[in-house]
Structures are given as C-alpha cells and as structure tokens.
DNA sequence: ACACAATACTTAACATGTGCAACAATAAGG
DNA sequence: CCTTATTGTTGCACATGTTAAGTATTGTGT
C-alpha cells in the first residue's frame, strides 16, 4: 500500500490539533454567553470595525460563506446584538453594526478572552508565539 | 470599548486561515472521490494503522467525537470501505479496518494527495514547513 | 432610455457535524 | 452476585457547509 506521510505530521492535521488546543481555552467562555465560535468571530470583527460593515466584508474577514453568515446575522439580529440596515448608497448591500447590547456583551467578554490569550502567550512563550504567527501568515500567503 | 488584540493577529483565527489555505489544495481531490474531510481523516488513520483499531483510538487520533465517528463509520461501512467487527477479546469494543475496496480507494488518492503536499512544501519552503510543524506541536503540548 | 448582464444578499433544501443525554451490552471489582 | 464503570450506539436539537435558486438593485452597452 502506498504510504502517505505520517498522519501525525500532516500539516492540516497539525493545524487542526493546534487550533483545537488553543480553542479549548476559549470555548467555555463563549458557551457561558451562548455564543458559537462563528458568532463570536462576527461580533469581534464588528467590534473592531470603525464603521458599519457590509455583509461581504464580514464574510471575507470571518471566513464564513454568504448563506451561513446570513443565518448568523439573522440570529444575532434577533438577539438584539447587531443592527442591519440597507446601505443608502447601494440598496443591494446591507450594512451591519453592533447594537448597544452587542457592544455591552463584547465588552463583558473581551477582558476574559484577553486573559486567556495571555495565558497561552505565557505558557507557550511570547517569542515563539509571534514567530508562529509570522509563519502562519507566510503559509497563507504562499498559497 | 475594550479593544481586543487585532482580529487578524488572533491565534485561533490565524490557525483557521492557515488551515483553510492548506486545505484548499486538498478539498477538490476529496470531492472527486465523494469524501468529506472527516471521512478522509478516518481512512488515513486506518490506512496507516498496522492492525485494526478500536473506535476510541480512532476518535482520539482523528479528533472526532464518539457520536460523529459512529455515524461516519456507519457510512463508510455502507460504502464498503471499512469493516467493523466486535473485538473478540472485549465484546464492548468494535474494531475497524479498511476493506479491500477501502485500501484500493486510499491507494488511488494517496499519490495525488502526496503531490499536493509536495507543492505546498515547495512553495512554502521545506525548512519553514518543518519549523512550523515543530511550533505547532509545541503549542499543542504547552496546553 | 432600454435590455441585459453582473452584483449583493437572502432563502431554501439537503447533508454533515457537534454536543448532550439516554441506552444497551459487556466487563471489572468488591 | 451485585454494583459500577466502560464502550459504543442512538436520538435529538441545533449550527454550519454547500449548492442552487430567487429578489432586488446597479452597471453597461447600444
């Protein structure tokens, strides 16, 4: 039988395991606030945006497909965490921003999230972490 | 508002993006053979195993939860790619191995997979790749 | 202006996977 | 034995992935 490179050494698997290890720290925090990973990605990207974002932008930055994102936004909208409006300049687009509640929720989660991130940074090492981030970025760009 | 570290620089997001970039090369190949990522993970791990594996082992190595794995194995079983038998030594366990068809399918996919992996290795650089794999492993262990 | 293509987003429909709880079968320990 | 733990499966509710179709709007060529 053809032997593939060892399963453990495969890059996609290594990336999956590493991500899983990292996310293990954050998942309980998100669960406390009834947020999925994807919902949190959307909230984060909106929180860091200067101005309302259109759906396409959000999709690009969160790595979500249009249909998934539509549903997620509908859910966040129902929960009152985001506000959707038709872009006055282009009625095809809808622009999205955090509501006051959304900002409050984000502000309540962010410090905890930051702390857990710092824990990773400390146990892994800040130097190695920034090294890793550079490599990941380069991998992404080399494709 | 509390500002979290930049969205782009967050480790989980960077890992997600990098994995996505890597998987983009493999997904079309898997799609050709009607395999999901998870199914392929199971086939790979079985292909590299010396002897039949029990379900718990497979779950650990593929990062799949028991219920998901049960269903995936049922599907692969229906397609005739794997064989499930009750472990004679412990009737609670079921042991799984590739069928002859499963081995054939794996053998047909493996060379293509290997080639695409080599492409990544070349465009990213073998040295950086092994460097990255080491860091990922260390991150995983540091948790 | 007008017809037609392109764009942005939504909706629908289906498959897959997650996460939790309940369950059956079996094994292990007092 | 009797109880408890383990292993795997199943059921359920839910979220997402994925493709295709649909709606509204905008852009373009003539």
């Amino acid at each position: 039988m053809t032997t593939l490179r060892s399963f453990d050494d495969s890059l996609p698997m290594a990336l999956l395991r590493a991500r899983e290890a990292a996310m293990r720290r954050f998942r309980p925090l998100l669960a406390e606030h009834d947020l999925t990973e994807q919902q949190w990605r959307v909230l984060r990207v909106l929180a860091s945006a200067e101005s309302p974002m259109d759906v396409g932008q959000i999709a690009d930055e969160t790595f979500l497909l249009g249909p998934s994102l539509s549903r997620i936004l509908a859910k966040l909208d129902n929960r009152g965490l985001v506000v959707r409006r038709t872009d006055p300049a282009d009625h095809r687009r809808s622009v999205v921003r955090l509501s006051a509640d959304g900002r409050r929720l984000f502000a309540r989660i962010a410090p905890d999230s930051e702390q857990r991130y710092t824990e990773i940074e400390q146990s892994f090492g800040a130097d190695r972490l920034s090294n890793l981030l550079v490599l990941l970025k380069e991998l992404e760009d080399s494709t």
Side-chain angles (χ1 to χ4, degrees), chain A:
Chain A
M1 151 145 15
T2 310
T3 53
L4 215 44
R5 86 189 50 239
S6 131
F7 187 68
D8 282 344
D9 297 345
S10 114
L11 177 62
M13 204 58 209
L15 289 166
L16 179 62
R17 275 202 307 268
R19 181 157 202 278
E20 202 50 40
M23 283 308 298
R24 232 191 303 281
R25 308 248 188 164
F26 295 101
R27 251 189 267 282
L29 176 59
L30 299 184
E32 273 178 37
H33 297 279
D34 269 301
L35 290 173
T36 65
E37 270 182 56
Q38 288 86 343
Q39 289 168 350
W40 176 239
R41 291 217 294 274
V42 172
L43 293 183
R44 268 195 77 164
V45 106
L46 287 174
S48 65
E50 297 294 327
S51 52
M53 298 174 70
D54 65 57
V55 175
Q57 266 181 294
I58 301 174
D60 287 345
E61 299 199 17
T62 56
F63 258 78
L64 291 166
L65 294 185
S68 298
L69 181 55
S70 271
R71 279 181 302 223
I72 291 170
L73 287 175
K75 209 157 298 179
L76 294 175
D77 194 351
N78 284 339
R79 269 177 77 175
L81 298 175
V82 304
V83 177
R84 288 192 284 183
R85 294 258 180 278
T86 299
D87 184 341
D90 182 345
H91 287 205
R92 291 172 304 184
R93 296 170 195 276
S94 72
V95 292
V96 186
R97 60 176 176 78
L98 287 186
S99 67
D101 275 1
R103 280 193 301 275
R104 263 193 295 276
L105 178 60
F106 180 81
R108 200 155 66 244
I109 298 176
D112 262 331
S113 169
E114 186 64 17
Q115 196 205 320
R116 291 171 199 225
Y117 201 100
T118 303
E119 286 169 16
I120 293 177
E121 202 168 29
Q122 285 174 353
S123 67
F124 183 49
D127 48 341
R128 280 198 295 185
L129 180 56
S130 65
N131 195 347
L132 174 57
L133 286 170
V134 169
L135 280 172
L136 290 172
K137 177 86 179 132
E138 288 172 350
L139 173 63
E140 196 192 336
D141 293 340
S142 87
T143 305

